[in-house]
Coordinates of all heavy atoms in Angstrom, one line a residue:
M1 N 42.5 24.6 -74.7 CA 42.2 24.6 -73.2 C 42.8 23.4 -72.6 O 42.7 22.3 -73.1 CB 40.7 24.7 -73.1 CG 40.3 25.6 -71.8 SD 38.5 25.6 -71.6 CE 38.0 26.6 -73.0
S2 N 43.3 23.6 -71.4 CA 43.9 22.4 -70.7 C 42.8 21.5 -70.2 O 41.7 21.9 -70.0 CB 44.8 22.9 -69.5 OG 44.0 23.3 -68.4
D3 N 43.1 20.2 -69.9 CA 42.2 19.3 -69.4 C 41.6 19.8 -68.0 O 40.4 19.6 -67.8 CB 42.8 17.9 -69.2 CG 43.1 17.2 -70.5 OD1 42.6 17.6 -71.5 OD2 43.8 16.2 -70.4
L4 N 42.4 20.4 -67.2 CA 42.0 20.8 -65.9 C 40.9 21.9 -66.0 O 39.9 21.9 -65.3 CB 43.1 21.2 -65.0 CG 42.8 21.5 -63.5 CD1 42.1 20.3 -62.9 CD2 44.0 21.9 -62.8
I5 N 41.3 22.9 -66.9 CA 40.3 24.1 -67.1 C 39.0 23.5 -67.7 O 37.9 23.9 -67.2 CB 40.9 25.1 -68.1 CG1 42.2 25.7 -67.6 CG2 39.9 26.2 -68.5 CD1 42.0 26.7 -66.5
T6 N 39.1 22.5 -68.6 CA 37.9 21.9 -69.1 C 37.1 21.2 -68.1 O 35.8 21.3 -67.9 CB 38.2 20.8 -70.2 OG1 39.0 21.5 -71.2 CG2 37.0 20.3 -70.8
A7 N 37.8 20.5 -67.1 CA 37.1 19.8 -66.1 C 36.4 20.7 -65.1 O 35.3 20.5 -64.6 CB 38.2 18.9 -65.3
M8 N 37.1 21.9 -64.8 CA 36.5 22.9 -63.9 C 35.2 23.5 -64.5 O 34.2 23.7 -63.9 CB 37.5 24.0 -63.5 CG 38.6 23.4 -62.6 SD 39.6 24.7 -61.9 CE 40.5 25.3 -63.3
G9 N 35.3 23.7 -65.8 CA 34.1 24.2 -66.6 C 33.0 23.2 -66.5 O 31.8 23.6 -66.3
L10 N 33.2 21.9 -66.7 CA 32.2 20.9 -66.6 C 31.6 20.8 -65.2 O 30.4 20.6 -65.0 CB 32.8 19.5 -67.0 CG 33.0 19.4 -68.5 CD1 33.8 18.1 -68.8 CD2 31.7 19.4 -69.3
L11 N 32.5 21.0 -64.2 CA 32.0 20.9 -62.8 C 31.0 22.0 -62.6 O 29.9 21.8 -61.9 CB 33.2 21.2 -61.9 CG 33.4 20.5 -60.6 CD1 33.3 19.0 -60.7 CD2 34.7 20.9 -59.9
H12 N 31.2 23.2 -63.1 CA 30.3 24.3 -63.0 C 29.0 24.0 -63.8 O 27.9 24.3 -63.3 CB 30.9 25.6 -63.5 CG 31.3 26.6 -62.4 ND1 30.3 27.1 -61.6 CD2 32.5 27.0 -62.0 CE1 30.9 27.9 -60.7 NE2 32.2 27.9 -60.9
K13 N 29.2 23.5 -65.0 CA 28.1 23.3 -65.9 C 27.1 22.3 -65.3 O 25.9 22.6 -65.2 CB 28.6 22.7 -67.2 CG 27.5 22.4 -68.3 CD 28.2 22.0 -69.6 CE 27.2 21.5 -70.6 NZ 26.7 20.1 -70.3
V14 N 27.6 21.2 -64.7 CA 26.7 20.2 -64.1 C 26.0 20.8 -62.9 O 24.8 20.7 -62.8 CB 27.5 19.0 -63.7 CG1 26.7 18.0 -62.8 CG2 28.0 18.3 -64.9
F15 N 26.7 21.6 -62.1 CA 26.1 22.2 -60.9 C 25.0 23.2 -61.3 O 23.9 23.1 -60.8 CB 27.2 23.0 -60.1 CG 26.6 23.6 -58.9 CD1 26.5 22.9 -57.7 CD2 26.3 25.0 -58.9 CE1 26.0 23.5 -56.5 CE2 25.8 25.6 -57.7 CZ 25.6 24.8 -56.6
D16 N 25.3 24.0 -62.3 CA 24.3 25.0 -62.7 C 23.1 24.4 -63.3 O 22.0 24.9 -63.1 CB 25.0 26.0 -63.8 CG 26.0 26.9 -63.1 OD1 26.0 27.1 -61.8 OD2 26.9 27.5 -63.8
E17 N 23.3 23.4 -64.1 CA 22.1 22.6 -64.6 C 21.2 22.2 -63.5 O 20.0 22.3 -63.7 CB 22.6 21.5 -65.5 CG 23.0 21.8 -66.8 CD 23.7 20.7 -67.6 OE1 23.6 19.5 -67.1 OE2 24.3 20.9 -68.7
H18 N 21.8 21.7 -62.5 CA 20.9 21.1 -61.4 C 20.4 22.2 -60.5 O 19.3 22.1 -59.9 CB 21.6 20.0 -60.7 CG 21.8 18.8 -61.5 ND1 20.8 17.8 -61.6 CD2 22.8 18.3 -62.3 CE1 21.2 16.8 -62.4 NE2 22.4 17.1 -62.8
A19 N 21.2 23.3 -60.3 CA 20.8 24.3 -59.4 C 19.7 25.2 -60.0 O 19.1 26.1 -59.3 CB 22.0 25.2 -59.0
K20 N 19.5 25.1 -61.3 CA 18.4 25.8 -62.0 C 18.5 27.3 -61.8 O 17.5 28.0 -61.5 CB 17.1 25.3 -61.6 CG 16.9 23.8 -61.9 CD 15.5 23.4 -61.9 CE 15.3 21.9 -62.3 NZ 15.7 21.0 -61.3
G21 N 19.7 27.9 -61.8 CA 19.8 29.3 -61.9 C 20.0 30.0 -60.6 O 20.4 31.2 -60.6
D22 N 19.7 29.4 -59.4 CA 19.8 30.1 -58.2 C 21.2 29.9 -57.5 O 21.4 30.4 -56.4 CB 18.6 29.9 -57.2 CG 18.6 28.4 -56.7 OD1 19.4 27.6 -57.1 OD2 17.6 28.2 -56.0
G23 N 22.0 29.1 -58.1 CA 23.4 28.9 -57.5 C 23.5 28.1 -56.3 O 24.5 28.1 -55.6
K24 N 22.4 27.3 -56.0 CA 22.4 26.4 -54.8 C 21.5 25.3 -55.1 O 20.6 25.4 -55.8 CB 22.1 27.2 -53.5 CG 20.8 27.9 -53.6 CD 20.6 28.9 -52.5 CE 19.2 29.5 -52.5 NZ 19.0 30.6 -51.5
L25 N 21.8 24.1 -54.4 CA 21.0 22.9 -54.6 C 20.1 22.7 -53.3 O 20.6 22.7 -52.2 CB 21.9 21.7 -54.8 CG 22.9 21.7 -56.0 CD1 23.9 20.6 -55.8 CD2 22.1 21.5 -57.3
N26 N 18.8 22.5 -53.6 CA 18.0 22.0 -52.5 C 18.1 20.5 -52.4 O 18.8 19.9 -53.3 CB 16.6 22.5 -52.6 CG 15.8 22.1 -53.8 OD1 16.1 21.0 -54.3 ND2 14.9 22.9 -54.3
K27 N 17.4 19.8 -51.5 CA 17.6 18.4 -51.3 C 17.1 17.7 -52.6 O 17.7 16.7 -53.0 CB 16.9 17.9 -50.1 CG 17.3 16.5 -49.7 CD 16.6 15.9 -48.5 CE 16.9 16.6 -47.3 NZ 16.1 16.2 -46.1
Q28 N 16.0 18.1 -53.2 CA 15.5 17.5 -54.4 C 16.5 17.6 -55.5 O 16.7 16.6 -56.3 CB 14.2 18.2 -54.7 CG 13.3 17.4 -55.7 CD 12.1 18.1 -56.1 OE1 11.8 19.2 -55.7 NE2 11.3 17.5 -57.0
E29 N 17.1 18.8 -55.7 CA 18.0 19.0 -56.8 C 19.3 18.2 -56.5 O 19.9 17.6 -57.5 CB 18.4 20.5 -56.9 CG 17.2 21.3 -57.4 CD 17.4 22.8 -57.2 OE1 18.3 23.3 -56.4 OE2 16.7 23.6 -57.9
L30 N 19.7 18.1 -55.3 CA 20.9 17.3 -55.0 C 20.6 15.8 -55.3 O 21.5 15.1 -55.9 CB 21.4 17.4 -53.6 CG 22.6 16.6 -53.2 CD1 23.9 17.2 -53.8 CD2 22.8 16.4 -51.7
T31 N 19.5 15.3 -54.9 CA 19.1 13.9 -55.2 C 19.1 13.6 -56.7 O 19.6 12.7 -57.2 CB 17.7 13.7 -54.6 OG1 17.7 13.9 -53.2 CG2 17.2 12.2 -54.9
K32 N 18.5 14.6 -57.5 CA 18.5 14.5 -58.9 C 19.9 14.4 -59.5 O 20.3 13.5 -60.3 CB 17.8 15.7 -59.5 CG 17.6 15.7 -61.0 CD 16.3 15.1 -61.5 CE 16.2 14.9 -63.0 NZ 16.5 16.1 -63.7
L33 N 20.8 15.3 -59.0 CA 22.2 15.3 -59.4 C 22.9 14.0 -59.1 O 23.5 13.4 -60.0 CB 23.0 16.4 -58.7 CG 24.4 16.8 -59.2 CD1 24.8 18.2 -58.9 CD2 25.4 15.9 -58.6
L34 N 22.7 13.5 -57.9 CA 23.4 12.2 -57.6 C 22.8 11.0 -58.3 O 23.6 10.1 -58.7 CB 23.2 12.0 -56.0 CG 24.0 13.0 -55.1 CD1 23.8 12.7 -53.7 CD2 25.5 13.0 -55.5
T35 N 21.5 11.0 -58.5 CA 20.9 9.9 -59.3 C 21.3 9.9 -60.8 O 21.6 8.9 -61.4 CB 19.4 9.8 -59.1 OG1 18.8 11.1 -59.5 CG2 19.0 9.5 -57.8
T36 N 21.4 11.2 -61.3 CA 21.7 11.3 -62.7 C 23.2 11.1 -62.9 O 23.6 10.3 -63.8 CB 21.4 12.8 -63.2 OG1 20.1 13.0 -62.9 CG2 21.6 12.9 -64.7
E37 N 24.1 11.7 -62.1 CA 25.5 11.6 -62.4 C 26.2 10.4 -61.8 O 27.2 10.0 -62.3 CB 26.2 12.9 -61.8 CG 25.6 14.2 -62.3 CD 25.7 14.4 -63.8 OE1 26.6 13.9 -64.4 OE2 24.8 15.1 -64.4
F38 N 25.7 9.9 -60.7 CA 26.3 8.7 -60.1 C 25.5 7.4 -60.2 O 25.9 6.4 -59.6 CB 26.7 9.0 -58.6 CG 27.7 10.1 -58.4 CD1 27.3 11.4 -58.1 CD2 29.1 9.8 -58.6 CE1 28.3 12.4 -58.0 CE2 30.0 10.8 -58.5 CZ 29.6 12.1 -58.1
G39 N 24.4 7.5 -60.8 CA 23.6 6.3 -61.1 C 22.9 5.7 -59.8 O 22.6 4.6 -59.8
L40 N 22.8 6.6 -58.8 CA 22.1 6.1 -57.6 C 20.6 5.9 -57.9 O 20.1 6.7 -58.7 CB 22.2 7.0 -56.4 CG 23.6 7.2 -55.9 CD1 23.6 8.2 -54.7 CD2 24.2 5.9 -55.4
K41 N 19.9 5.0 -57.3 CA 18.5 4.8 -57.6 C 17.6 5.6 -56.7 O 17.8 5.6 -55.5 CB 18.2 3.3 -57.4 CG 17.3 2.7 -58.5 CD 17.2 1.2 -58.4 CE 16.5 0.8 -57.1 NZ 16.4 -0.6 -56.9
A42 N 16.8 6.5 -57.3 CA 15.9 7.4 -56.5 C 14.7 6.6 -56.1 O 14.3 5.6 -56.7 CB 15.6 8.6 -57.3
G43 N 14.1 7.1 -55.0 CA 12.8 6.7 -54.6 C 12.6 5.6 -53.6 O 11.7 5.6 -52.8
D44 N 13.6 4.6 -53.5 CA 13.5 3.6 -52.5 C 13.9 4.1 -51.1 O 14.5 5.2 -51.0 CB 14.1 2.3 -52.8 CG 15.6 2.3 -52.8 OD1 16.3 3.1 -52.0 OD2 16.2 1.7 -53.8
K45 N 13.5 3.5 -50.0 CA 13.6 4.0 -48.7 C 15.1 4.2 -48.3 O 15.5 5.2 -47.7 CB 12.9 3.0 -47.7 CG 12.8 3.5 -46.3 CD 11.9 2.6 -45.5 CE 11.9 3.0 -44.0 NZ 13.2 2.5 -43.4
D46 N 15.9 3.2 -48.7 CA 17.3 3.3 -48.3 C 17.9 4.6 -49.0 O 18.8 5.3 -48.3 CB 18.1 2.1 -48.8 CG 17.9 0.9 -47.9 OD1 17.2 1.1 -46.8 OD2 18.3 -0.2 -48.3
T47 N 17.6 4.8 -50.2 CA 18.2 5.9 -51.0 C 17.7 7.2 -50.3 O 18.5 8.1 -50.1 CB 17.7 5.9 -52.4 OG1 18.2 4.7 -53.0 CG2 18.4 7.1 -53.2
N48 N 16.4 7.3 -49.9 CA 16.0 8.5 -49.3 C 16.7 8.8 -48.0 O 17.1 9.9 -47.7 CB 14.5 8.4 -49.0 CG 13.6 8.4 -50.3 OD1 14.1 8.9 -51.3 ND2 12.4 8.0 -50.2
E49 N 16.9 7.8 -47.2 CA 17.7 8.0 -45.9 C 19.1 8.3 -46.2 O 19.7 9.2 -45.5 CB 17.6 6.7 -45.1 CG 16.3 6.5 -44.4 CD 16.2 5.1 -43.7 OE1 17.2 4.4 -43.6 OE2 15.1 4.7 -43.3
T50 N 19.7 7.7 -47.2 CA 21.1 8.0 -47.6 C 21.2 9.5 -48.0 O 22.1 10.2 -47.6 CB 21.6 7.1 -48.7 OG1 21.5 5.8 -48.3 CG2 23.0 7.4 -49.1
M51 N 20.2 9.9 -48.8 CA 20.2 11.3 -49.3 C 20.0 12.3 -48.2 O 20.7 13.4 -48.2 CB 19.0 11.5 -50.3 CG 19.2 10.8 -51.6 SD 20.7 11.4 -52.5 CE 20.7 10.1 -53.8
D52 N 19.2 12.0 -47.2 CA 19.1 12.9 -46.0 C 20.5 13.1 -45.4 O 20.9 14.2 -45.0 CB 18.1 12.3 -45.0 CG 16.7 12.5 -45.4 OD1 16.5 13.3 -46.3 OD2 15.8 11.9 -44.8
K53 N 21.2 11.9 -45.2 CA 22.5 12.0 -44.5 C 23.5 12.7 -45.4 O 24.3 13.5 -44.9 CB 23.0 10.6 -44.3 CG 22.3 9.9 -43.1 CD 22.9 8.5 -42.8 CE 22.0 7.7 -41.9 NZ 22.1 6.3 -42.1
V54 N 23.5 12.4 -46.7 CA 24.5 13.1 -47.6 C 24.2 14.6 -47.6 O 25.2 15.4 -47.5 CB 24.3 12.5 -49.0 CG1 25.1 13.4 -50.0 CG2 24.8 11.1 -49.0
F55 N 22.9 15.0 -47.7 CA 22.6 16.4 -47.7 C 23.0 17.1 -46.5 O 23.7 18.2 -46.5 CB 21.1 16.6 -47.9 CG 20.7 18.0 -48.2 CD1 20.8 18.5 -49.6 CD2 20.3 18.9 -47.2 CE1 20.4 19.8 -49.8 CE2 19.9 20.2 -47.5 CZ 20.0 20.6 -48.8
K56 N 22.8 16.5 -45.3 CA 23.2 17.1 -44.0 C 24.7 17.2 -43.9 O 25.2 18.2 -43.5 CB 22.7 16.3 -42.9 CG 21.2 16.6 -42.5 CD 20.8 16.1 -41.1 CE 19.3 16.4 -40.9 NZ 18.7 15.1 -40.6
G57 N 25.4 16.2 -44.4 CA 26.8 16.1 -44.4 C 27.4 17.2 -45.3 O 28.4 17.8 -45.0
L58 N 26.8 17.5 -46.4 CA 27.4 18.4 -47.4 C 27.0 19.9 -47.0 O 27.8 20.8 -47.3 CB 26.8 18.1 -48.8 CG 27.3 16.9 -49.5 CD1 26.7 16.8 -50.8 CD2 28.8 16.9 -49.5
D59 N 25.9 20.1 -46.4 CA 25.5 21.4 -46.1 C 26.2 21.9 -44.8 O 25.6 22.1 -43.8 CB 23.9 21.5 -45.9 CG 23.4 22.8 -45.6 OD1 24.1 23.8 -45.9 OD2 22.2 22.9 -45.1
A60 N 27.5 22.2 -45.0 CA 28.4 22.5 -43.9 C 27.9 23.8 -43.1 O 28.1 23.8 -41.9 CB 29.8 22.7 -44.4
D61 N 27.4 24.8 -43.8 CA 27.0 26.0 -43.1 C 25.5 25.9 -42.7 O 25.0 26.9 -42.2 CB 27.3 27.2 -43.9 CG 26.4 27.2 -45.2 OD1 25.7 26.3 -45.5 OD2 26.5 28.2 -46.0
E62 N 24.9 24.8 -42.9 CA 23.5 24.6 -42.5 C 22.5 25.6 -43.0 O 21.6 26.1 -42.3 CB 23.4 24.5 -40.9 CG 24.2 23.3 -40.4 CD 24.1 23.1 -38.9 OE1 23.5 24.0 -38.2 OE2 24.7 22.1 -38.3
S63 N 22.7 26.0 -44.3 CA 21.9 27.0 -44.9 C 20.6 26.4 -45.4 O 19.7 27.0 -45.8 CB 22.7 27.6 -46.0 OG 23.0 26.7 -47.1
G64 N 20.6 25.0 -45.5 CA 19.4 24.3 -46.1 C 19.6 24.1 -47.5 O 18.7 23.6 -48.2
F65 N 20.8 24.5 -48.0 CA 21.1 24.3 -49.5 C 22.6 23.9 -49.6 O 23.4 24.2 -48.7 CB 20.9 25.6 -50.3 CG 19.5 26.2 -50.3 CD1 19.1 27.1 -49.4 CD2 18.6 25.7 -51.3 CE1 17.8 27.5 -49.4 CE2 17.3 26.1 -51.3 CZ 16.9 27.1 -50.4
V66 N 22.9 23.2 -50.7 CA 24.3 22.9 -51.0 C 24.8 23.9 -52.0 O 24.3 23.9 -53.2 CB 24.4 21.5 -51.5 CG1 25.8 21.2 -52.0 CG2 24.1 20.5 -50.4
E67 N 25.6 24.8 -51.6 CA 26.2 25.8 -52.5 C 27.4 25.2 -53.2 O 27.9 24.1 -52.9 CB 26.7 27.1 -51.7 CG 25.5 27.9 -51.2 CD 24.9 27.4 -49.9 OE1 25.4 26.5 -49.3 OE2 23.9 28.0 -49.5
F68 N 27.9 26.0 -54.2 CA 28.9 25.5 -55.1 C 30.2 25.0 -54.3 O 30.7 23.9 -54.6 CB 29.3 26.5 -56.1 CG 30.3 26.0 -57.2 CD1 29.9 25.1 -58.2 CD2 31.6 26.4 -57.2 CE1 30.8 24.5 -59.0 CE2 32.5 25.8 -58.1 CZ 32.1 24.9 -59.0
A69 N 30.6 25.7 -53.3 CA 31.8 25.3 -52.6 C 31.6 24.1 -51.8 O 32.5 23.2 -51.8 CB 32.2 26.5 -51.6
E70 N 30.4 23.8 -51.3 CA 30.1 22.6 -50.6 C 30.0 21.4 -51.6 O 30.5 20.3 -51.3 CB 28.8 22.7 -49.9 CG 28.9 23.7 -48.7 CD 27.5 24.1 -48.2 OE1 26.5 23.9 -48.9 OE2 27.5 24.7 -47.1
Y71 N 29.5 21.6 -52.8 CA 29.4 20.6 -53.8 C 30.9 20.3 -54.3 O 31.2 19.1 -54.5 CB 28.6 21.2 -55.0 CG 28.8 20.7 -56.4 CD1 28.2 19.5 -56.8 CD2 29.5 21.4 -57.3 CE1 28.4 19.0 -58.1 CE2 29.7 21.0 -58.6 CZ 29.2 19.8 -59.0 OH 29.3 19.4 -60.3
V72 N 31.7 21.2 -54.5 CA 33.1 21.0 -54.9 C 33.8 20.1 -53.9 O 34.6 19.2 -54.3 CB 33.9 22.3 -55.1 CG1 35.3 22.1 -55.3 CG2 33.3 23.0 -56.4
T73 N 33.6 20.4 -52.7 CA 34.2 19.6 -51.6 C 33.8 18.1 -51.8 O 34.6 17.1 -51.7 CB 33.8 20.0 -50.2 OG1 34.1 21.4 -50.1 CG2 34.5 19.2 -49.1
F74 N 32.5 17.9 -52.1 CA 32.0 16.6 -52.3 C 32.6 15.9 -53.5 O 33.0 14.7 -53.5 CB 30.4 16.6 -52.5 CG 29.8 15.4 -52.9 CD1 29.7 14.2 -52.1 CD2 29.3 15.3 -54.2 CE1 29.1 13.1 -52.6 CE2 28.7 14.2 -54.7 CZ 28.6 13.0 -53.8
V75 N 32.6 16.6 -54.6 CA 33.2 16.1 -55.9 C 34.7 15.7 -55.6 O 35.1 14.6 -56.1 CB 33.1 17.1 -57.0 CG1 33.8 16.6 -58.3 CG2 31.6 17.3 -57.3
A76 N 35.4 16.5 -54.9 CA 36.8 16.2 -54.6 C 36.9 15.0 -53.8 O 37.8 14.1 -54.0 CB 37.5 17.4 -53.9
A77 N 36.0 14.8 -52.8 CA 36.0 13.6 -52.0 C 35.7 12.3 -52.9 O 36.3 11.3 -52.7 CB 35.1 13.7 -50.8
M78 N 34.7 12.5 -53.8 CA 34.4 11.4 -54.7 C 35.5 11.0 -55.6 O 35.8 9.8 -55.9 CB 33.2 11.7 -55.5 CG 31.9 11.8 -54.8 SD 31.5 10.2 -54.0 CE 30.9 9.3 -55.4
A79 N 36.3 12.1 -56.1 CA 37.4 11.8 -57.0 C 38.5 11.1 -56.2 O 39.1 10.2 -56.8 CB 38.0 13.2 -57.4
L80 N 38.7 11.4 -54.9 CA 39.7 10.6 -54.2 C 39.3 9.2 -54.0 O 40.1 8.3 -54.1 CB 39.8 11.3 -52.8 CG 40.7 12.5 -52.7 CD1 40.7 13.2 -51.3 CD2 42.2 12.2 -53.1
L81 N 37.9 9.0 -53.7 CA 37.4 7.6 -53.5 C 37.5 6.8 -54.7 O 37.9 5.6 -54.7 CB 35.9 7.7 -53.0 CG 35.7 8.0 -51.6 CD1 34.1 8.1 -51.3 CD2 36.2 6.8 -50.7
L82 N 37.1 7.4 -55.8 CA 37.1 6.7 -57.1 C 38.5 6.5 -57.7 O 38.7 5.5 -58.3 CB 36.2 7.4 -58.1 CG 34.7 7.5 -57.7 CD1 33.9 8.3 -58.7 CD2 34.1 6.1 -57.6
G83 N 39.4 7.4 -57.3 CA 40.8 7.3 -57.6 C 41.1 7.0 -59.1 O 40.2 6.8 -59.9
K84 N 42.3 6.9 -59.4 CA 42.9 6.4 -60.6 C 42.0 6.2 -61.8 O 41.4 5.2 -61.9 CB 43.7 5.1 -60.2 CG 44.7 5.4 -59.2 CD 45.3 4.2 -58.6 CE 46.1 4.7 -57.4 NZ 46.4 3.7 -56.5
Ligands
CA1 CA1 25.0 25.3 -47.4

């Protein structure tokens, strides 16, 4: 399997683990994903405010959930930021 196919599979795997079967992330699940995968610290006031902003920013269709397409957009943006 190519590296890219493997990466796409992992992208799905991480999302599905945090979405817990319903195919979308609520704010709590997104917070868990970001703290687990990006090492952000949960619980302090700054993090909570940041999470509110991140969640609103990602929930492009304002469904109240971050669906896979919205999550992929975020991961792509992070990949660009982290670069090389
Ligand atoms: Ca959404």
Side-chain angles (χ1 to χ4, degrees):
M1 213 183 293
S2 76
D3 286 349
L4 188 57
I5 298 286
T6 303
M8 289 192 291
L10 287 172
L11 216 56
H12 253 296
K13 180 175 172 283
V14 170
F15 181 84
D16 289 342
E17 280 171 8
H18 289 278
K20 300 195 175 80
D22 65 359
K24 55 194 183 183
L25 301 167
N26 62 30
K27 195 182 291 175
Q28 195 185 1
E29 290 166 342
L30 181 74
T31 301
K32 181 99 192 301
L33 188 154
L34 294 178
T35 52
T36 307
E37 306 297 331
F38 292 99
L40 297 180
K41 222 169 69 188
D44 68 37
K45 192 168 167 286
D46 284 351
T47 302
N48 290 343
E49 283 173 12
T50 303
M51 288 300 167
D52 282 348
K53 284 183 195 154
V54 169
F55 190 84
K56 277 197 187 119
L58 290 180
D59 184 16
D61 64 358
E62 298 181 354
S63 64
F65 296 95
V66 171
E67 286 83 8
F68 187 71
E70 294 165 343
Y71 154 83
V72 167
T73 305
F74 168 71
V75 173
M78 288 300 284
L80 282 174
L81 277 176
L82 297 174
K84 300 166 192 165

